[in-house]
Amino acid sequence: MRILAVETSCDETAAAVLVDGTQILSNVVATQIDLHIQFGGVFPEMASRQHILTIYPVVESALNQAHLSLDELDALAVTRGPGLAGSLVVGMNMAKALALGSGLPLIGVNHLEGHLYSAWIQVDKDTPANPPDFPLIALIVSGGHSNLMLMKDHLQYELLGSTLDDAAGEAFDKVARLLSLPYPGGPSIQKAAEKGNPTAFNFPRARLEGTWNFSFSGLKTAVLREVRAFQEMGKTVPVEDMAASFQAAVVDVLVEKAFMAAEQYGAHHIVVAGGVSANSGLRKALTEQNRFEVHIPPLKFCTDNAAMIAAAGYQRYAHGFSDKLDMDVLPSWALS
């Protein structure tokens, strides 16, 4: 089954073609990072306008790289939400136009679901896929989400906990600004942390006993107070040590919650996905243990891409789901 997928939930314009939800025939991503750096974050209107300029060549490139025409596809998948409304509409309209012109079935995909199914994608043609086993614990950590979920089977999600304030990726971006590090904050914090001491500052870990929820607002405030203290004393802020200590605090809570949930629900496999799963500190903490088998996508699949949307779209279509042309975007669509 060959599926063309389109992803425009935020500031990446992406299209990909996958076979049976695992084998990549093409995966094209046009990023907008350079356009948004001046704002220190994504400027929604600029993002949607750039998607309009980029969507056609990106989809055309994905088809050309896959050496396929629309007539040779089996279905179309598109990100329906969550995401920026203006960005989502561009991808949705492109997918609808393709479906209307070709008669191909159309599948709306939850963006978070896509991140999870990146764990099922075959890394390369010479490496067999290593799909996780159910039941599994899924940790989705990105700029807008920090969710801990239980999956008992394909497309079956039970939300255990989520962030009560800042998402993990959002906290990285905000702390990077406090430390005068460039956008995007995740890679900047990681780079600075590599030269810092993770125990230099005893930043708080909001474990929220008795729940699976997360909270990173207090941690962000603790960093702010330390930065101001150094500034008031006229001293240079130890950026590298603060970055390392902040990163360690985030990683500790994420890993601890995921492992505890796996133990409680009898899961031997853990899937970690989303932009923050690219963080080297988090990846190291998850993989340097032998209690659970951890599935983390390659770096190119951690950030937004259309291959993951095709992988999730395959599962939805294979289980009998499809959508009509009157489908609309859902900017706040919860995964359930």
Side-chain angles (χ1 to χ4, degrees):
M1 186 184 296
R2 291 171 289 197
I3 293 181
L4 167 67
V6 176
E7 150 67 23
T8 60
S9 65
C10 191
D11 62 332
E12 271 87 22
T13 312
V17 178
L18 260 66
V19 177
D20 293 339
T22 59
Q23 181 186 352
I24 294 178
L25 297 186
S26 65
N27 185 35
V28 180
V29 180
T31 184
Q32 302 178 16
I33 287 180
D34 291 341
L35 294 175
H36 300 284
I37 283 178
Q38 60 185 309
F39 305 107
V42 177
F43 192 92
E45 183 176 350
M46 179 180 287
S48 58
R49 290 179 181 273
Q50 189 62 30
H51 283 308
I52 293 171
L53 297 175
T54 313
I55 187 68
Y56 185 90
V58 165
V59 170
E60 185 177 43
S61 179
L63 287 170
N64 289 339
Q65 289 183 25
H67 304 290
L68 293 173
S69 65
L70 282 175
D71 294 338
E72 296 172 293
L73 298 174
D74 296 292
L76 301 165
V78 61
T79 303
R80 189 178 184 185
L84 301 175
S87 293
L88 289 166
V89 165
V90 178
M92 179 65 73
N93 286 344
M94 181 68 177
K96 284 183 178 181
L98 293 173
L100 182 63
S102 65
L104 289 170
L106 181 64
I107 306 115
V109 174
N110 187 293
H111 180 76
L112 302 182
E113 186 172 57
H115 274 303
L116 288 180
Y117 276 99
S118 61
W120 275 260
I121 297 175
Q122 191 173 341
V123 177
D124 57 62
K125 62 180 181 180
D126 299 321
T127 304
N130 180 32
D133 293 335
F134 299 109
L136 62 83
I137 292 297
L139 176 65
I140 306 174
V141 276
S142 65
H145 304 275
S146 294
N147 293 346
L148 193 65
M149 312 193 77
L150 172 65
M151 285 185 69
K152 295 182 178 179
D153 205 343
H154 286 295
L155 308 181
Q156 295 183 14
Y157 314 103
E158 180 183 342
L159 180 63
L160 303 178
S162 58
T163 181
L164 300 180
D165 38 61
D166 293 343
E170 182 182 3
F172 270 91
D173 283 339
K174 289 180 176 179
V175 169
R177 285 197 289 271
L178 291 176
L179 299 178
S180 299
L181 293 171
Y183 172 84
S188 296
I189 292 284
Q190 176 181 298
K191 184 176 180 180
E194 290 171 355
K195 299 179 181 179
N197 177 5
T199 62
F201 294 89
N202 185 25
F203 288 136
R205 274 74 166 159
R207 291 184 167 84
L208 304 180
E209 303 293 343
T211 78
W212 299 113
N213 292 325
F214 301 100
S215 174
F216 298 107
S217 180
L219 171 59
K220 177 196 64 182
T221 302
V223 176
L224 173 62
R225 288 173 177 166
E226 291 289 351
V227 169
R228 286 180 174 173
F230 276 90
Q231 292 172 339
E232 290 170 358
M233 292 186 291
K235 295 183 179 180
T236 301
V237 176
V239 172
E240 293 170 347
D241 285 346
M242 278 199 185
S245 300
F246 163 77
Q247 179 176 277
V250 174
V251 168
D252 283 353
V253 173
L254 292 175
V255 172
E256 182 178 310
K257 290 271 188 179
F259 287 175
M260 288 175 62
E263 285 182 351
Q264 178 161 326
Y265 290 95
H268 298 291
H269 289 228
I270 298 173
V271 171
V272 184
V276 180
S277 67
N279 180 269
S280 60
L282 178 60
R283 296 171 84 94
K284 182 178 180 181
L286 289 164
T287 55
E288 289 189 344
Q289 50 81 40
N290 53 17
R291 295 162 58 197
F292 308 100
E293 184 170 342
V294 179
H295 300 257
I296 311 177
L299 293 178
K300 62 182 178 180
F301 296 135
C302 292
T303 52
D304 294 349
N305 63 88
M308 68 184 195
I309 303 302
Y314 165 78
Q315 290 293 340
R316 296 195 69 82
Y317 191 56
H319 285 80
F321 293 95
S322 64
D323 294 281
K324 298 179 180 180
L325 289 175
D326 62 356
M327 169 177 59
D328 201 357
V329 299
L330 296 172
S332 302
W333 192 15
L335 181 59
S336 61

